[in-house]
Amino acid sequence: MVDTDGGSMNLGLDQILSFKRDPGDRNRTSPFAFTGNRFEFRAVGSSQSVAGPLVAMNTMLADSLEWIADRLEEVLPEGDITQDQRATAVVTVLQGLMEQHSAVLFGGDGYSEEWHREAVEERGLRNLPTCADALPVLLEDDVVALFNRTGVLRPVELESRFEVYAEQYVLSIGVEAKLMVEMAKTIIYPAAMTYLGELAATASKTQKLGVEFDTSVITSLSESAGALLVAANALQDAVDSYEPGSAGEHMRYCADTIRTLMDDVRTPADALENLVADRLWPLPKYREMLFIR
């Protein structure tokens, strides 16, 4: 039987009312999950590090604690302070925090489209779905001021990190796009054409024998193979034709143009995976990766 009692949260402050702690994981698929009394990173890629996010979060935490301390000093009277005065000051500051930041509190389905719309349209929160959207935030005035004010990173150091992160993103997308074109043209397309040839030969033979042959698979196979080649050529042209600009511009181009064209290549490739005979398909299929064959 699962224990649904997470106990009480003890913050070590008599002024804070005790409250029940979440008994466990809120969401096992979240990359940054709240697990009762802490946050933890999950499913970090082999080439990734949590050091950067930790620097940002610890910087924000330090700045927030300093802000709280300043507010407490403002509302606390001078001289000897009683327990009741201290408690009143803490509650006053906490009320101010909730009024300013309660928009981030949400206990529903964080993956739903309804929440995304509510977060942006009603609560005024930002939704940054790609690296190209998120990384430029490092150069915004309030972010630069935060890191500079706390003595963590100077403006030039923050800018250098943006340049490095942007270059890593651009290089990664470039490598993946070129590999996708190669796989489409030299692995998937030939396999599709081989199977198409077999089906066409079979259809021709059966028709000579006066046997009706359903050519719907041949038609679908031919259309998907053609679409794959067109999409792969378009992706190749987009990769080759880009003229280098600033890191931000190149990153935006990769996110808006290259990534969109990569999706265009994947769509017919996925269709072909469901059409080409299993013995001819040269790559592991999703079901083969998920289950032992």
Side-chain angles (χ1 to χ4, degrees), residues 36-260:
N37 63 344
R38 68 192 182 279
F39 288 91
E40 63 181 35
F41 288 97
R42 292 174 171 178
V44 180
S46 59
S47 63
Q48 296 175 314
S49 170
V50 300
L54 284 176
V55 168
M57 287 189 294
N58 286 331
T59 301
M60 290 186 290
L61 177 61
D63 188 67
S64 297
L65 291 176
E66 184 178 8
W67 183 91
I68 292 173
D70 291 342
R71 298 293 85 73
L72 284 173
E73 290 179 357
E74 290 176 2
V75 298
L76 282 171
E78 297 182 2
D80 294 334
I81 302 171
T82 66
Q83 189 73 8
D84 289 340
Q85 289 174 326
R86 184 178 289 108
T88 300
V90 169
V91 171
T92 300
V93 174
L94 287 178
Q95 286 177 337
L97 279 172
M98 289 301 297
E99 289 173 359
Q100 292 188 45
H101 304 293
S102 60
V104 302
L105 299 178
F106 179 73
D109 182 3
Y111 293 93
S112 68
E113 288 298 326
E114 291 77 16
W115 160 240
H116 290 175
R117 286 194 295 270
E118 178 184 339
V120 176
E121 298 173 8
E122 298 179 21
R123 302 196 183 197
L125 303 176
R126 302 173 72 173
N127 183 12
L128 306 174
T130 71
C131 286
D133 296 305
L135 286 178
V137 175
L138 288 174
L139 303 182
E140 292 183 358
D141 292 341
D142 54 345
V143 175
V144 174
L146 166 66
F147 282 99
N148 194 44
R149 179 172 65 249
T150 53
V152 177
L153 292 171
R154 293 176 297 168
V156 66
E157 293 174 320
L158 200 58
E159 184 175 358
S160 69
R161 279 160 175 74
F162 167 77
E163 294 288 339
V164 170
Y165 292 149
E167 183 179 1
Q168 289 176 343
Y169 177 79
V170 168
L171 290 176
S172 296
I173 295 296
V175 169
E176 292 174 1
K178 292 176 182 177
L179 179 59
M180 177 173 271
V181 171
E182 182 180 343
M183 291 176 64
K185 289 185 175 181
T186 66
I187 299 178
I188 299 177
Y189 185 75
M193 297 308 293
T194 298
Y195 187 48
L196 182 62
E198 290 185 5
L199 290 179
T202 301
S204 178
K205 291 177 182 178
T206 55
Q207 286 172 353
K208 287 180 181 180
L209 295 174
V211 178
E212 256 188 67
F213 186 90
D214 185 352
T215 60
S216 60
V217 174
I218 293 178
T219 301
S220 297
L221 193 65
S222 176
E223 291 176 350
S224 296
L228 176 72
L229 196 58
V230 170
N233 286 332
L235 177 58
Q236 182 69 66
D237 291 341
V239 172
D240 294 339
S241 64
Y242 179 76
E243 297 181 2
S246 68
E249 291 172 347
H250 198 175
M251 186 168 56
R252 192 74 263 169
Y253 179 78
C254 287
D256 296 339
T257 302
I258 301 298
R259 279 290 293 109
T260 300

